[in-house]
């Protein structure tokens, strides 16, 4: 084989590089499927592991614990080792974690599987962005990042109704086993296709000083934390409702079977997928961030409140409301631009790692919180070993969702408008 020579001495063919980036983006799609998969398995997981809402929310959130907690070191590792080895090993780890989850016979073994899945998937979006920056012109970076986000949304949709139908047909363990096989196959493909560039020699002390300086600079910038809070509040409601508790709620409130309820909830991700590039285009077109984030925050707050508390909603009306809720919450994509435009380029990687950690970490907070609130109002009803919550209990627990979105909308009052311009060091 001549991989080593091709990697380090001659630029690979454009088609090979394009296919390599596509595999990285498919890994992000796979990560999103894994992120929302428990939402179509709620009853099965409660029954098989004999747990209530709080423990089930915690089991699902193990994905976010490892994903969010590893974002800064993942960025550092990408800079040091390149995407080829890391994406390959990460995809294999996610596949192996799925296998552990599929065969688990107790809660702790299942939690280990979700933890492995989350850590492997933590390299997905960062890998796609890193590969784009490594091999493609700078003026294509945002475009490729947008397409990666779109594929992630496709993964969120696939993890709802299609996966729900599969779970009903073959059972949740076999469905998760299929995800394991896909992850391992993806690892083989990325190992064969991805390419790294030879990196120029540089002193280790300089790299260490640069990393520490970047982390200190980002952590001392208030706008980074405001942007992180906004992104966390917008994403949290989507991950709590769309990623776990929305499907059983719709089953209970509208009397729909699981697969149809999942299809309805997946409309939220359709709105997200359309809204994300739209907010980015509009904010760039008008060179403004703050007004679009504020409007998106209000839109998301009104959307989730209407979806849960507006009386007399038909299924069609609920679909429309969820679409606009997802579209409003998608304004969180602008939090990355705000953070980047308030910090110098030499701290960009750490800055985006901090923001992305908060964004993904929102699921680790709200999923178990909603589950704990559901358990507080549980009347003791069981169906086939799974806890059944009343509509009133869901509505009481879901109060945290519009409250979180509303807090995000209020945080935009603290944003400093950058005019969509890159940060300039003071003279």
């Amino acid at each position: 084989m001549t991989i080593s020579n091709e990697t380090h001495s001659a630029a690979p063919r454009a088609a090979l590089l394009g296919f390599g980036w596509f595999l990285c983006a498919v890994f992000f799609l796979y990560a999103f499927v894994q992120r929302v998969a428990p939402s179509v398995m709620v009853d099965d997981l409660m029954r098989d592991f004999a747990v209530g809402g709080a423990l089930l929310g915690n089991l699902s959130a193990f994905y976010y614990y490892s994903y969010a907690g590893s974002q800064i070191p993942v960025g550092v590792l990408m800079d040091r080792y390149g995407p080829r080895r890391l994406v390959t090993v990460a995809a294999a780890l996610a596949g192996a974690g799925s296998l552990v989850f599929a065969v688990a016979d107790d809660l702790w073994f299942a939690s280990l599987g979700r933890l492995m899945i989350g850590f492997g998937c933590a390299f997905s979006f960062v890998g796609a962005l890193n590969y784009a920056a490594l091999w493609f012109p700078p003026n294509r970076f945002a475009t490729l990042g947008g397409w990666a986000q779109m594929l992630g949304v496709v993964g969120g949709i696939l993890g709802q109704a299609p996966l729900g139908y599969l779970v009903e047909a073959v059972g949740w363990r076999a469905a998760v086993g299929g995800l394991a096989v896909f992850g391992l196959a993806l690892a083989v493909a990325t190992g064969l296709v991805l390419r790294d560039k030879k990196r120029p020699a540089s002193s280790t002390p300089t790299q260490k000083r640069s990393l520490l300086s970047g982390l200190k600079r980002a952590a001392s910038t208030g706008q980074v934390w405001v942007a992180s809070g906004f992104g966390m509040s917008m994403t949290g409601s989507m991950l709590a409702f769309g990623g776990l508790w929305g499907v059983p709620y719709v089953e209970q409130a509208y009397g729909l079977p699981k697969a149809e309820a999942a299809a309805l909830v997946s409309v939220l991700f359709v709105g997200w997928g359309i809204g994300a590039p739209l907010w980015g285009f509009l904010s760039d077109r008008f060179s403004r961030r703050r007004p679009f984030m504020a409007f998106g925050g209000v839109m998301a707050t009104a959307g989730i409140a209407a979806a849960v508390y507006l009386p007399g909603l038909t299924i069609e009306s609920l679909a429309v409301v969820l679409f606009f809720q997802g579209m409003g919450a998608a304004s969180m994509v602008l939090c990355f631009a705000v953070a980047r435009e308030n910090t110098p380029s030499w701290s960009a990687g750490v800055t985006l790692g901090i923001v992305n950690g908060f964004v993904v970490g929102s699921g680790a907070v709200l999923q178990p919180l909603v589950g704990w609130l559901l358990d507080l109002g549980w009347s003791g009803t069981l169906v086939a070993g799974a806890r059944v919550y009343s509509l009133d209990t869901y509505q009481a627990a879901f109060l945290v969702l519009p409250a979180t979105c509303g807090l995000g909308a209020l945080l935009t009052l603290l944003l400093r408008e950058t005019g969509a311009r890159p940060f300039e060091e003071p003279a």
Side-chain angles (χ1 to χ4, degrees):
M1 297 180 65
T2 59
I3 289 176
S4 179
N5 291 336
E6 182 181 41
T7 301
H8 298 306
S9 60
R13 294 179 179 178
L16 183 67
L17 295 177
F19 186 50
W21 174 85
F22 177 73
L23 288 176
C24 291
V26 168
F27 187 19
F28 186 50
L29 178 152
Y30 176 72
F32 234 103
V33 173
Q34 295 279 20
R35 188 177 298 183
V36 304
S39 68
V40 296
M41 308 172 188
V42 170
D43 294 343
D44 303 296
L45 296 175
M46 281 186 174
R47 180 180 60 251
D48 285 10
F49 296 117
V51 296
L55 287 177
L56 179 61
N58 194 57
L59 169 62
S60 176
F62 265 95
Y63 173 101
Y64 302 101
Y65 298 151
S66 55
Y67 192 123
S70 61
Q71 284 303 293
I72 293 176
V74 162
V76 175
L77 289 172
M78 281 288 177
D79 288 338
R80 176 66 179 85
Y81 296 105
R84 183 183 186 183
R85 285 173 287 180
L86 291 175
V87 170
T88 299
V89 172
L93 180 63
S98 298
L99 186 60
V100 170
F101 187 40
V103 302
D105 56 3
D106 61 60
L107 184 64
W108 299 111
F109 200 44
S111 299
L112 173 63
R114 287 291 290 174
L115 196 73
M116 293 169 62
I117 294 168
F119 185 68
C121 290
F123 291 80
S124 58
F125 189 58
V126 175
L129 292 181
N130 190 273
Y131 205 74
L134 195 65
W135 287 112
F136 294 87
N139 61 357
R140 296 183 63 188
F141 179 80
T143 300
L144 292 172
W147 278 109
Q149 280 283 355
M150 180 66 73
L151 283 174
V153 171
V154 171
I157 295 171
L158 291 175
Q160 294 286 332
L163 186 61
Y165 284 116
L166 184 62
V167 169
E168 287 190 342
V170 302
W172 76 269
R173 292 186 185 274
V176 174
L179 292 176
V181 172
F182 185 89
L184 295 174
L186 185 61
V188 174
T190 54
L192 293 173
V193 174
L194 297 191
R195 296 292 183 264
D196 286 331
K197 277 186 177 180
K198 185 177 181 180
R199 298 173 184 271
S202 57
S203 64
T204 300
T206 299
Q207 291 176 344
K208 288 184 177 179
R209 287 198 299 272
S210 177
L211 171 63
L212 294 176
S213 299
L215 180 59
K216 181 179 178 181
R217 179 67 174 81
S220 62
T221 303
Q223 290 292 292
V224 171
W225 299 109
V226 175
S228 298
F230 177 81
M232 185 176 187
S233 65
M234 292 297 102
T235 310
S237 61
M238 186 270 288
L239 294 177
F241 189 88
L244 186 61
W245 296 113
V247 173
Y249 165 74
V250 171
E251 288 182 83
Q252 175 77 341
Y254 291 87
L256 296 177
K258 180 183 298 180
E260 292 183 22
L264 186 58
V265 172
S266 69
V267 174
L268 187 153
F269 294 101
V270 176
W272 183 282
I274 294 175
L278 179 62
W279 292 120
F281 169 78
L282 290 174
S283 67
D284 282 342
R285 174 68 178 79
F286 294 99
S287 298
R288 302 290 299 277
R289 308 295 188 200
R290 180 177 171 180
F292 294 105
M293 293 169 74
F295 185 75
V298 171
M299 191 173 169
T301 305
I304 192 62
V308 178
Y309 302 107
L310 194 62
L313 277 183
T314 63
I315 292 176
E316 293 76 14
S317 299
L318 178 62
V320 172
V321 168
L322 289 176
F323 176 85
F324 282 103
Q325 200 280 333
M327 180 175 282
S331 61
M332 56 75 57
V333 299
L334 302 182
C335 72
F336 294 98
V338 168
R340 179 180 56 82
E341 291 160 3
N342 279 281
T343 52
S345 59
W346 47 265
S347 67
V350 178
T351 298
L352 296 178
I354 291 173
V355 176
N356 204 36
F358 272 83
V359 165
V360 181
S362 61
V365 174
L366 282 184
Q367 283 191 348
L369 175 59
V370 170
W372 177 72
L373 292 172
L374 287 171
D375 282 345
L376 285 181
W378 181 48
S379 64
T381 303
L382 292 169
V383 174
R387 293 190 180 188
V388 176
Y389 304 104
S390 69
L391 196 56
D392 289 341
T393 300
Y394 274 114
Q395 291 180 334
F398 283 169
L399 278 171
V400 70
L401 302 182
T404 301
C405 286
L407 177 61
L410 290 174
L411 281 175
T412 61
L413 297 174
L414 302 178
L415 289 173
R416 182 173 63 245
E417 183 59 68
T418 60
R421 293 187 299 271
F423 179 85
E424 294 182 3
E425 291 276 16

